[in-house]
Amino acid sequence: MVAIVGIGHTKFGQRKDASLRDLMFEAVQKVFNDSGLSPKDIDAMYTAVCGDGFAGQLSPGMLGPDIAGLLHKPNMRVEAACATGSSAIHAAYASIKADLYDRVLVLGAEKMLQVTTPEAIQIMGMAGDLQWESVFGVTFPAYYAMLATAHMAKYGTTEEQLAKVAIKNHHYGAKNPVAQFQKEITLEKALNAAMVAYPLKLFDCCPLTDGAAAVILSKEDIAREDNDTPVYIEGLGSASDHVSLMDRKTLTSLVGAVQAAKTAHNMAKTNIKDIHIACVHDCFTIAEILAYEDLGICERGRGGKFIEEEGSYIGGKLPINVDGGLKSKGHPIGATGVSQAVEIVKQLRGEAEKGRQVPDAERGLVHNVGGSGHYAFVTIYGRR
Amino acid sequence: MVAIVGIGHTKFGQRKDASLRDLMFEAVQKVFNDSGLSPKDIDAMYTAVCGDGFAGQLSPGMLGPDIAGLLHKPNMRVEAACATGSSAIHAAYASIKADLYDRVLVLGAEKMLQVTTPEAIQIMGMAGDLQWESVFGVTFPAYYAMLATAHMAKYGTTEEQLAKVAIKNHHYGAKNPVAQFQKEITLEKALNAAMVAYPLKLFDCCPLTDGAAAVILSKEDIAREDNDTPVYIEGLGSASDHVSLMDRKTLTSLVGAVQAAKTAHNMAKTNIKDIHIACVHDCFTIAEILAYEDLGICERGRGGKFIEEEGSYIGGKLPINVDGGLKSKGHPIGATGVSQAVEIVKQLRGEAEKGRQVPDAERGLVHNVGGSGHYAFVTIYGRR
């Protein structure tokens, strides 16, 4: 077994005060403070940054060791689009399980607001199928808009239901001091917001974000020495999908996410009923609804109804994204999967802020998707 | 133990006939043909592509599963600048050793000549320290030129000695049908070539290259069923260094490479005398001379003399880059580390072409450097 024994998280948002390096340093400082460990205790690191274009730095992972004080130790960059952070945790897990290292630092970061918004939109558009889709002008929201209209057509999902995902996530984001937007929104405000790509309006889309997050993973036999409340990785799974939407068998499910969850549950010997809290990939509101269904939290096609009935609020069937999710906490691409892990650890330690702590949470799930479903990573965490 | 049971390698060069996807497909076809395996036998893949900018595709690793027929299976991109290929092999090794998978495909590829040469030079320059160095106009050859002049000043290494590295690598490249340049060069031609960054002239620099390479790794207990001559990964090590040259303690050694080799030898229980053939990272001729010294093949400062005395030719102390190296075979960044592994496997199987097969080679070493030494990966391969 491998456990998370330290967590670090910067404030997410438009961080004009901080460069990519500064963000990385802030997360590293916090993870060392939280864990009580220092660089000499760490054997290797994985640096999770998604885009060369945001940083203007080819091979941005090379920044990691200087910043973390881990020079002359192993480091590599791991990347899986918006699931970059989770892919790095999975790679780090494997390296400990393989007995290469005892303790590993995973550092996820992205400085997205260094470039202009049109540049950022262009870079994000490059995350679709460049040969057959993006090149014809499909922006990233447009990919998810196609998934949304397919879901609306097939299951009668409504724009109100989509908006309700955003309302929930802003509700909890308002209670999370690291969230980019700490402000509740109303249904009226969400429905009247500017259209981005039908049916996705401004509040259906996560923002561009600057931020970083870090975790330290330890081998089982030292994890409890390192920390009173180690949070174990009980299961993990990942799966890919076609690059091009037109090749996919369905637009109303991310098949990779279904497969990833299955693998993770098999490994953890759990099913969705054993999960007390989840962080799912709500880059757009429709993505959270797909996650409800792909993870088996509700029946296929009932995702809209599920949010309407507040099934994903605290007190509902399964509290989801009570950190604000990508929507309200923000989505600095390379950091997101690591940030989701940080949130689950906080919840399982009972350290989340008032009004958003899930009572007695012992097992949590992270669902992190890259591209328009090209990558899907699911990780199941538990405390003993 | 983990073994390589299949190898695939495209022709390297200016591949106007092939897109990035085509190159990937060519390598995948060859690796399946070589191994006799098919996609259903493979549990996961790691896709090694270095730059978003070359491909014009954010998260280029997402192209892998469609091309390899590995949909709905795990995939992630691993990247470590010019050591991207080796980093993916190390990650794949860990995932098998961790018991996550039995067989893994590693696919390395880069299509560098899709952009114009000035664009490529700009992208490559981004692989230095963007904040403190590249931004002031340091091109990638200029980084290695500084290492070269430091070596010349400290040890009296000469431009002739540098040129002799290129002469050797072209000599062997001429015998390698997949090499970009299959043409011998003379000392006169090398010394009179256009200056790129003093003292590095045209033939001191590796070219921009299109190409791909692939390997299949198997768990020990199935490796011998998969292949009559499995080539085992006996040791691996990697280490980072400062991003900025100005922070480094020395410019006449890549400290990360020294550390990586030490780790790999410790794991394999070998030393350099046990190695029969090596592929080292000769992105510039000075880099091969540094590798001689960093790997302990010759004494510190004697690298120039070592090539002068033909110590790295077949018949010398240790045959090095007898595939032509990055210099003559070419250097499609993401593919290079995988290509080096393919070459070692060919040599250990006794399948290299006439005039460049090292007789009775049983153990080989790959030395793969990223950036100007930011990353260093060493892998030791052996057959039983």
Side-chain angles (χ1 to χ4, degrees):
Chain A
M1 297 282 282
V2 173
I4 293 183
V5 298
I7 54 175
H9 202 292
T10 73
K11 170 81 172 68
F12 279 6
Q14 182 159 19
R15 292 290 306 269
K16 285 187 180 162
D17 61 314
S19 67
L20 176 63
R21 293 173 197 226
D22 295 334
L23 292 167
M24 285 177 161
F25 185 69
E26 199 177 318
V28 163
Q29 263 196 317
K30 286 177 197 280
V31 82
F32 282 130
N33 283 343
D34 176 75
S35 63
L37 297 168
S38 67
K40 69 172 171 18
D41 303 315
I42 309 296
D43 300 316
M45 75 181 295
Y46 290 81
T47 310
V49 180
C50 178
D52 301 349
F54 294 121
Q57 171 82 56
L58 188 70
S59 196
M62 67 169 67
L63 302 175
D66 266 320
I67 288 163
L70 291 176
L71 281 160
H72 309 145
K73 294 183 183 180
N75 170 48
M76 62 175 82
R77 174 196 186 194
V78 180
E79 183 267 311
C82 303
T84 291
S86 286
S87 72
I89 290 175
H90 286 211
Y93 169 92
S95 69
I96 293 175
K97 200 78 198 319
D99 257 335
L100 293 173
Y101 318 121
D102 288 341
R103 286 197 202 90
V104 172
L105 171 69
V106 176
L107 172 58
E110 209 86 42
K111 173 81 187 168
M112 299 178 74
L113 290 159
Q114 191 161 301
V115 297
T116 63
T117 304
E119 282 166 345
I121 289 167
Q122 193 194 350
I123 294 170
M124 291 300 301
M126 282 167 60
D129 182 342
L130 202 88
Q131 185 170 318
W132 298 111
E133 288 175 345
S134 309
V135 72
F136 299 109
V138 189
T139 61
F140 205 67
Y143 284 107
Y144 273 91
M146 289 189 264
L147 304 184
T149 49
H151 206 271
M152 291 163 79
K154 187 160 179 188
Y155 298 118
T157 304
T158 65
E159 294 178 57
E160 286 76 9
Q161 289 169 338
L162 294 175
K164 282 181 176 175
V165 171
I167 291 166
K168 170 181 69 71
N169 293 351
H170 275 267
H171 171 71
Y172 289 113
K175 302 174 199 303
N176 187 352
V178 298
Q180 181 162 5
F181 303 126
Q182 297 173 33
K183 207 172 171 178
E184 305 248 1
I185 58 165
T186 62
L187 184 63
E188 195 193 352
K189 188 169 179 179
L191 290 177
N192 292 324
M195 189 62 75
V196 176
Y198 176 83
L200 304 177
K201 294 166 283 291
L202 187 65
F203 290 101
D204 290 299
C205 307
C206 73
L208 300 171
T209 307
D210 302 332
V215 293
I216 293 172
L217 275 60
S218 285
K219 211 170 162 171
E220 181 163 29
D221 54 357
I222 54 172
R224 202 163 287 271
E225 291 167 43
D226 284 350
N227 195 291
D228 291 337
T229 323
V231 169
Y232 294 92
I233 296 179
E234 299 187 335
L236 45 79
S238 66
S240 61
D241 207 342
H242 291 287
V243 173
S244 178
L245 290 196
M246 68 187 170
D247 288 329
R248 300 198 192 162
K249 288 208 172 63
T250 171
L251 293 183
T252 54
S253 166
L254 300 181
V255 177
V258 175
Q259 180 57 48
K262 197 175 150 191
T263 308
H265 280 302
N266 280 346
M267 183 171 159
K269 299 187 178 65
T270 52
N271 66 52
I272 192 67
K273 292 194 183 70
D274 300 314
I275 305 296
H276 305 135
I277 174 172
C279 288
V280 309
H281 196 85
D282 62 321
C283 49
F284 300 94
T285 49
I286 180 62
E288 182 164 322
I289 287 178
L290 292 177
Y292 297 159
E293 302 175 12
D294 289 340
L295 295 171
I297 298 165
C298 71
E299 276 173 53
R300 183 66 60 197
R302 299 277 298 172
K305 209 76 194 159
F306 187 73
I307 180 65
E308 211 165 73
E309 292 165 355
E310 303 197 344
S312 47
Y313 277 75
I314 293 174
K317 192 175 176 189
L318 178 61
I320 290 171
N321 290 341
V322 297
D323 59 352
L326 283 57
K327 174 66 208 76
S328 168
K329 187 178 62 177
H331 180 27
I333 307 180
T336 288
V338 186
S339 166
Q340 291 174 308
V342 167
E343 164 66 6
I344 295 293
V345 171
K346 278 187 78 165
Q347 290 280 350
L348 268 50
R349 286 183 184 171
E351 292 175 357
E353 288 75 17
K354 213 183 143 205
R356 62 173 217 86
Q357 171 71 48
V358 176
D360 306 318
E362 290 187 359
R363 188 175 282 117
L365 179 147
V366 168
H367 159 278
N368 190 191
V369 172
S372 61
H374 308 112
Y375 294 105
F377 289 78
V378 170
T379 319
I380 296 170
Y381 296 94
R383 67 173 165 88
R384 303 290 165 86
Chain B
M1 298 282 282
V2 173
I4 294 184
V5 299
I7 53 176
H9 201 292
T10 73
K11 171 78 173 71
F12 279 6
Q14 181 159 20
R15 293 290 306 268
K16 286 187 178 161
D17 60 314
S19 67
L20 177 64
R21 294 173 197 225
D22 295 334
L23 292 168
M24 286 176 160
F25 185 69
E26 200 178 317
V28 161
Q29 262 196 319
K30 285 176 198 279
V31 80
F32 283 130
N33 283 344
D34 176 75
S35 63
L37 297 167
S38 68
K40 69 172 173 13
D41 302 314
I42 310 295
D43 300 316
M45 75 182 294
Y46 290 81
T47 311
V49 180
C50 178
D52 300 351
F54 294 121
Q57 171 82 55
L58 188 71
S59 196
M62 68 169 66
L63 302 175
D66 266 319
I67 287 164
L70 292 175
L71 281 159
H72 309 144
K73 294 185 182 179
N75 171 46
M76 61 175 82
R77 174 198 188 193
V78 180
E79 184 266 312
C82 303
T84 291
S86 286
S87 71
I89 290 175
H90 286 211
Y93 169 91
S95 70
I96 293 175
K97 199 78 196 321
D99 258 335
L100 292 174
Y101 317 121
D102 288 341
R103 286 197 202 91
V104 173
L105 171 69
V106 176
L107 172 58
E110 209 84 44
K111 173 80 185 166
M112 299 178 74
L113 290 159
Q114 190 160 302
V115 297
T116 63
T117 304
E119 283 168 344
I121 288 168
Q122 193 195 351
I123 294 170
M124 290 301 300
M126 283 166 60
D129 181 342
L130 202 89
Q131 187 169 316
W132 298 111
E133 290 175 343
S134 309
V135 73
F136 299 109
V138 191
T139 61
F140 204 67
Y143 284 107
Y144 273 91
M146 289 189 262
L147 304 185
T149 50
H151 206 271
M152 290 163 79
K154 187 161 180 187
Y155 299 117
T157 304
T158 65
E159 293 179 56
E160 286 76 9
Q161 289 169 339
L162 294 175
K164 282 180 177 175
V165 171
I167 291 167
K168 170 181 68 71
N169 292 352
H170 274 268
H171 170 72
Y172 289 115
K175 301 173 198 305
N176 186 352
V178 298
Q180 181 161 3
F181 303 125
Q182 296 173 32
K183 206 173 171 178
E184 305 248 2
I185 58 164
T186 62
L187 184 62
E188 194 195 351
K189 188 169 179 179
L191 290 177
N192 292 324
M195 187 63 74
V196 175
Y198 175 83
L200 304 177
K201 294 168 281 293
L202 187 64
F203 290 100
D204 291 299
C205 307
C206 74
L208 300 171
T209 308
D210 302 333
V215 293
I216 293 172
L217 275 62
S218 284
K219 212 171 163 169
E220 180 163 30
D221 54 356
I222 54 171
R224 204 164 284 273
E225 291 168 44
D226 284 350
N227 195 291
D228 291 337
T229 322
V231 169
Y232 294 92
I233 296 180
E234 298 187 335
L236 45 78
S238 66
S240 60
D241 206 341
H242 291 288
V243 173
S244 178
L245 290 196
M246 67 186 172
D247 288 329
R248 299 196 193 164
K249 287 209 173 61
T250 173
L251 293 183
T252 54
S253 166
L254 300 181
V255 178
V258 175
Q259 180 57 48
K262 197 176 149 189
T263 308
H265 280 302
N266 279 346
M267 182 171 160
K269 299 189 178 62
T270 51
N271 66 52
I272 192 67
K273 291 193 184 71
D274 300 315
I275 305 297
H276 305 135
I277 174 173
C279 288
V280 309
H281 196 85
D282 62 321
C283 49
F284 300 94
T285 49
I286 181 63
E288 182 164 321
I289 286 178
L290 292 176
Y292 297 160
E293 301 176 11
D294 289 340
L295 295 172
I297 297 165
C298 69
E299 276 174 53
R300 181 67 59 200
R302 300 276 298 172
K305 210 76 194 159
F306 187 74
I307 179 64
E308 212 164 72
E309 292 165 355
E310 303 199 343
S312 48
Y313 277 75
I314 293 176
K317 191 174 175 190
L318 179 61
I320 290 171
N321 290 341
V322 298
D323 59 351
L326 282 59
K327 174 67 207 78
S328 168
K329 187 178 62 177
H331 179 29
I333 306 181
T336 289
V338 186
S339 166
Q340 291 174 308
V342 167
E343 164 65 6
I344 295 292
V345 171
K346 277 187 80 168
Q347 290 280 350
L348 268 50
R349 286 183 184 172
E351 293 176 357
E353 289 74 17
K354 214 184 142 202
R356 62 174 217 86
Q357 171 71 48
V358 176
D360 305 318
E362 290 188 358
R363 189 175 282 118
L365 180 148
V366 167
H367 160 277
N368 191 191
V369 172
S372 61
H374 308 112
Y375 294 106
F377 289 78
V378 170
T379 319
I380 296 170
Y381 296 95
R383 67 172 164 88
R384 304 291 164 87

